[in-house]
Amino acid sequence: MAPPSPRGNAHSWLYAGVPPGGSSGGSLRAAHLPRELIARTGGAVIAAYGRRGIPVLAAATALRSRLWSGGLNVYSARLLPSPALRLLSRGVRGWVLDLHDHPRLQSEALGVPLSARLRAELDDLVQRNVEAFGRLAVPSASFAELCALPAERVVVASNGTDTDHIRPGPWGTEPTVGMVSGAVPGRGIELLVDAVQRLRSEYPGVVLRLALAATGPASRRYLDELAASLEPTGWVRVQRLPYEQLPAFLARCQVMVIPHPPGAYMDVATPVKLFDGMAAGRPTVVTPRHETAAIVRRNDAGIVTAGDGADDLAQAIGSLLRSDAERRRLGANARRAAESGYDWRVISGALADAVLGPRASEAQNASR
């Protein structure tokens, strides 16, 4: 059962796991999503709190709860491990949990083998976090449904983009297809290479640019092997791209692609890279996954493929490479949607309104 709104009472606030900035989807969400809540409550912020940060969280919660007799509300940017969950007691209560990934479902979607014991442990960890927090911020309503979360405590806060950092650049003349992704099998990378290969008879000068980020040792090995295997082609460019250079990368592309394979977890995903591509004013080709397809169609910001094969991808990408006018039209739509609905400031403000209630001036205007 959700605790009462802390607005206007004597509670203090602690924001755990909120970094000063980010470089990938999860860290960008962690950095941007609670900003308006932090601004409105004046809460204390700590960046680390995982296994190494538990003493920091423990000290912070103890100090804050002593200083504030009314207690302490905790916002967490990710799942709390078991030691940290035990800190939520004696006036220290879970306020908002940003539940944007489900570790067991995500691992299974990427083909990571899990033992029955580990699956049970991950499900138990998610369930205990859900029970510990009054509000659950999720990236999509379908994600909440897939995870069987209590609807009365769910607040949908989509992933988004920074439209000040990522802005449309001049359109180039080289036919260039782009993809931004974690370097993990099961993201459709090889499928996209196959699709662009099929376009080379019509567009011999087409270039595929892959901005891939390693997420761990296994991912780094996969990335090294992939880059080595693709280097001889000459037309596939694999890059390890700092977030600061992302705007320039996106500006060099004429078409962005998110080739997510079929699966229940992929159907509910709203990847940050979709909104970054939209902010850059570039059309995106997506496979027919539920959430990404709905966003592209609703905003007329790209093309949803007819199916999941390489030919389906090639047909959609080719149709955009053939029409400069259509690319520009869809890209302009994408940029407008990014600014009006998917900028992190818009999303952060909506979350703060949902949790705290709208600002007094907004509430007065709504009542008129």
Side-chain angles (χ1 to χ4, degrees), residues 263-342:
Y265 200 76
M266 293 299 185
D267 266 333
V268 306
T270 58
V272 168
K273 58 191 172 187
L274 170 61
F275 307 111
D276 285 341
M278 292 170 66
R282 297 303 187 256
T284 302
V285 170
V286 299
T287 43
R289 305 288 74 80
H290 175 72
E291 290 292 342
T292 51
I295 292 166
V296 166
R297 286 179 177 136
R298 182 168 61 246
N299 296 289
D300 195 19
I303 295 179
V304 179
T305 63
D308 290 298
D311 284 336
D312 298 304
L313 272 176
Q315 182 177 359
I317 295 168
S319 70
L320 290 176
L321 291 180
R322 293 182 197 105
S323 176
D324 179 68
E326 184 67 355
R327 289 197 307 273
R328 290 172 183 268
R329 185 186 72 83
L330 295 173
N333 291 343
R335 174 66 188 186
R336 281 193 293 271
E339 290 177 320
S340 63
Y342 299 110

Side-chain angles (χ1 to χ4, degrees), residues 42-60:
V45 180
I46 57 173
Y49 69 92
R51 291 185 180 277
R52 296 180 181 177
I54 292 225
V56 177
L57 180 58

Side-chain angles (χ1 to χ4, degrees), residues 69-230:
S69 59
L72 178 70
N73 287 305
V74 175
Y75 172 105
S76 179
R78 61 193 67 182
L79 291 170
L80 287 179
S82 295
L85 282 172
R86 290 195 287 271
L87 298 173
L88 301 181
S89 61
R90 299 180 183 177
V92 180
R93 36 179 160 169
W95 179 33
V96 179
L97 170 66
D98 179 19
L99 182 57
H100 55 273
D101 280 323
H102 189 297
R104 192 260 300 171
L105 294 176
Q106 184 182 48
S107 296
E108 291 176 347
L110 296 175
V112 178
L114 300 175
S115 66
R117 178 178 177 180
L118 182 53
R119 287 199 302 270
E121 289 176 352
L122 292 175
D123 283 344
D124 179 65
L125 178 65
V126 172
Q127 185 58 36
R128 285 187 290 122
N129 270 267
V130 168
E131 292 171 354
F133 285 84
R135 302 290 180 87
L136 308 168
V138 299
S140 67
S142 59
F143 175 87
E145 293 171 4
L146 181 66
C147 298
L149 302 179
E152 69 277 6
R153 291 195 282 133
V154 164
V155 180
V156 176
S158 172
N159 280 323
T161 184
D162 182 346
T163 59
D164 285 342
H165 177 59
I166 299 178
R167 305 186 65 84
W171 291 85
T173 57
E174 183 181 51
T176 304
V177 180
M179 178 184 181
V180 178
S181 179
V184 181
R187 295 287 178 90
I189 299 171
E190 293 84 355
L191 178 70
L192 179 57
V193 173
D194 189 6
V196 176
Q197 170 71 61
R198 299 179 189 212
L199 289 168
R200 286 185 58 75
S201 59
E202 182 179 358
Y203 294 97
V206 69
V207 173
L208 172 59
R209 295 187 178 275
L210 301 173
L212 306 178
T215 59
S219 172
R220 194 170 296 107
R221 288 192 297 272
Y222 169 76
L223 178 53
D224 290 341
E225 293 170 1
L226 181 71
S229 68
L230 294 175

